[in-house]
Amino acid sequence: MNGAAIIDREDVPRLAKPRIETVAQRLLHEYEQHRGAVAPPIPIDEIVELHLGLTIEFMDMRQLFGAGDVHGALWVRRKRIGVDRSLDPAESPSKTGRYRFTLAHEAGHWRLHRRRFLGRAPDVSAARGFSGPASYLSRSGEARMSIEWQANYFAACLLMPRHLIMAAWEEHFGAPRPVTLNLLRERLPGARTIEAISTYNGDPDRFPDLMFESVSRPLAALFEVSSQAMRIRLEQLGLLLRRR
Amino acid sequence: MNRVCENCAERPTRAAAECVRPIQSTMSSETAFGEFIRARRLECDLSLRRFAQLVGVSPTYLSQIEQGNLAPPTVERVTQMAVILEEHPDPLIALAGRVPADLPSIIRRRPIEVPELLREVNGLTAGQLRAITAQVRRMKQEGSEQ
């Protein structure tokens, strides 16, 4: 593919989850030291452009890379983040969460992987126009590749910091206790409708996801992320449990 | 934020927004305007999305302007951008390759004398033009006192 990501997948350093979370926390802390304490939603546009010095540009990724599933790209030497125009939050407010996650994801590549890129492939993203190869491309459905997984985990930690999620959870649910699927099945208004819909759609395995996403919605709105991203984060933090 | 004008040796404490000075550029007007807007909004601590909100346009549109992919916006929009960025509108309007909105009506009011005056002053230095402007202001003031 034209402009494909150039990182050698087998050569990706294996970063453990706590390490990635620490790097994300440190970035947030640096930002707060310069610009004061943050509250949800995390000001990701300002972190990316004003603190990291990466300029955001909207572009037509399909035209640029010949692939329709590219959401974002990072040009390390040019210090540019490209975002696909379909994610413009003013033109498509429902994409706001996806837009913000894309910025945080590219910030993750910048903080976790850029030295690797600079050290091994000099000049590859420099000097040419934007049709030149991007250092990192972020495509939907690519999350299992470890470098993309790391950037996603970084994005989740940055946009949904542990301490702010815990505080919001307690405020919303009244206690720092996890919620189980069984409890939701009994208590969540609309649980039967969700179950009926997933059965009707022939996808009963989606039922837990849909239940959890329904519960995640208020926090997702507060942190301006998708309810899917919030559900995944709440499960990571052990606040939503599939089994007792 | 009240920047101090670095180009204004006579009155170094003057706020930059009050100081009219040309924005130098050798690039095409699309590229020069876009790059200036981007650099200036970052100086003003405004993200792309926030600045677009303040101007009332979409981030995609603003981003196309910054990348030089679209012609600079209308005089009204450029003026609005100048106010937000604490710049004097006239040099920014010139950088956008446009003419300030009040000039056509000034020319129409004196269709012989004003074009003649403009052609005559064409080629003078900035200092000479400032001297003429000062002279005109004195003339107007004396006129209003009489």
Side-chain angles (χ1 to χ4, degrees):
Chain A
M1 187 187 65
N2 177 33
I6 55 153
I7 291 293
D8 181 2
R9 303 279 178 190
E10 287 153 25
D11 199 26
V12 172
R14 296 208 174 265
L15 298 174
K17 281 182 174 184
R19 167 84 186 131
I20 294 172
E21 183 157 24
T22 303
V23 177
Q25 279 171 344
R26 194 184 303 145
L27 172 58
L28 197 60
H29 184 65
E30 281 170 22
Y31 181 84
E32 288 186 316
Q33 281 193 319
H34 283 94
R35 294 168 191 273
V38 300
I42 301 301
I44 187 64
D45 290 82
E46 284 73 15
I47 291 174
V48 162
E49 282 207 299
L50 307 180
H51 184 70
L52 294 178
L54 301 168
T55 309
I56 297 167
E57 292 190 350
F58 280 90
M59 40 187 80
D60 186 336
M61 292 293 180
R62 184 185 289 274
Q63 197 180 39
L64 202 54
F65 298 111
D69 55 352
V70 179
H71 283 147
L74 171 68
W75 284 266
V76 171
R77 284 179 187 278
R78 288 174 159 270
K79 298 188 78 180
R80 294 275 195 278
I81 287 178
V83 181
D84 189 58
R85 322 173 48 141
S86 67
L87 300 184
D88 183 327
E91 287 175 5
S92 316
S94 67
K95 300 278 179 69
T96 302
R98 190 68 246 179
Y99 164 75
R100 288 166 48 77
F101 202 87
T102 299
L103 293 186
H105 176 103
E106 302 305 338
H109 280 317
W110 178 256
R111 270 291 156 105
L112 299 170
H113 310 127
R114 77 168 186 281
R115 280 190 195 87
R116 185 158 211 84
F117 168 76
L118 287 171
R120 297 183 58 222
D123 298 321
V124 97
S125 69
R128 294 211 239 156
F130 267 127
S131 51
S135 316
Y136 296 98
L137 285 181
S138 301
R139 320 173 72 177
S140 51
E142 209 179 20
R144 286 208 191 96
M145 290 179 157
S146 74
I147 204 161
E148 297 307 310
W149 180 88
Q150 289 174 12
N152 278 347
Y153 190 70
F154 179 95
C157 295
L158 183 62
L159 293 177
M160 296 167 277
R162 184 179 293 263
H163 66 290
L164 292 178
I165 289 287
M166 291 298 184
W169 177 273
E170 198 167 341
E171 177 140 322
H172 194 75
F173 292 101
R177 279 196 301 277
V179 164
T180 62
L181 190 59
N182 279 340
L183 187 77
L184 286 179
R185 207 190 290 264
E186 289 164 19
R187 305 238 182 112
L188 184 73
R192 285 187 179 192
T193 314
I194 292 172
E195 190 152 27
I197 288 171
S198 31
T199 308
Y200 177 78
N201 287 343
D203 196 6
D205 293 345
R206 274 282 286 156
F207 173 67
D209 285 0
L210 293 175
M211 286 286 276
F212 281 164
E213 281 164 28
S214 175
V215 173
S216 302
R217 214 152 281 144
L219 263 59
L222 180 65
F223 285 78
E224 284 188 11
V225 295
S226 69
S227 42
Q228 187 194 18
M230 182 55 78
R231 186 258 301 166
I232 292 169
R233 183 66 174 145
L234 292 173
E235 288 197 69
Q236 281 166 355
L237 295 175
L239 291 168
L240 289 175
L241 298 175
R242 296 195 178 226
R243 292 203 175 107
R244 255 204 83 75
Chain B
M1 65 218 76
N2 229 5
R3 290 182 309 148
V4 169
C5 180
E6 294 158 7
N7 300 341
C8 211
E10 292 160 21
R11 297 176 64 186
T13 55
R14 199 173 180 188
E18 294 165 18
C19 178
V20 195
R21 62 188 191 284
I23 301 165
Q24 301 293 344
S25 176
T26 53
M27 291 178 275
S28 74
S29 74
E30 286 86 359
T31 313
F33 182 80
E35 295 204 348
F36 182 83
I37 288 288
R38 173 185 285 161
R40 189 69 194 112
R41 75 161 168 85
L42 291 171
E43 277 173 26
C44 291
D45 275 355
L46 294 169
S47 68
L48 177 76
R49 196 176 166 202
R50 179 79 188 120
F51 186 53
Q53 275 170 350
L54 292 173
V55 178
V57 296
S58 76
T60 298
Y61 173 75
L62 180 63
S63 182
Q64 295 306 307
I65 296 285
E66 288 191 350
Q67 293 174 64
N69 294 340
L70 288 176
T74 61
V75 170
E76 290 74 18
R77 193 80 84 194
V78 175
T79 306
Q80 192 189 357
M81 288 178 166
V83 170
I84 296 166
L85 299 176
E86 297 185 352
E87 283 289 328
H88 195 289
D90 287 351
L92 200 60
I93 290 167
L95 191 67
R98 302 190 188 279
V99 170
D102 57 339
L103 290 190
S105 70
I106 293 173
I107 292 170
R108 276 197 296 272
R109 222 173 292 142
R110 292 276 183 203
I112 312 283
E113 294 83 355
V114 173
E116 189 184 8
L117 174 70
L118 291 177
R119 289 194 187 99
E120 209 56 53
V121 300
N122 186 26
L124 295 185
T125 66
Q128 289 171 320
L129 288 168
R130 274 198 295 269
I132 293 173
T133 305
Q135 175 70 19
V136 171
R137 283 194 183 126
R138 273 196 298 277
M139 281 170 64
K140 280 182 157 176
Q141 195 156 9
E142 284 161 14
S144 66
E145 282 166 5
Q146 279 166 10

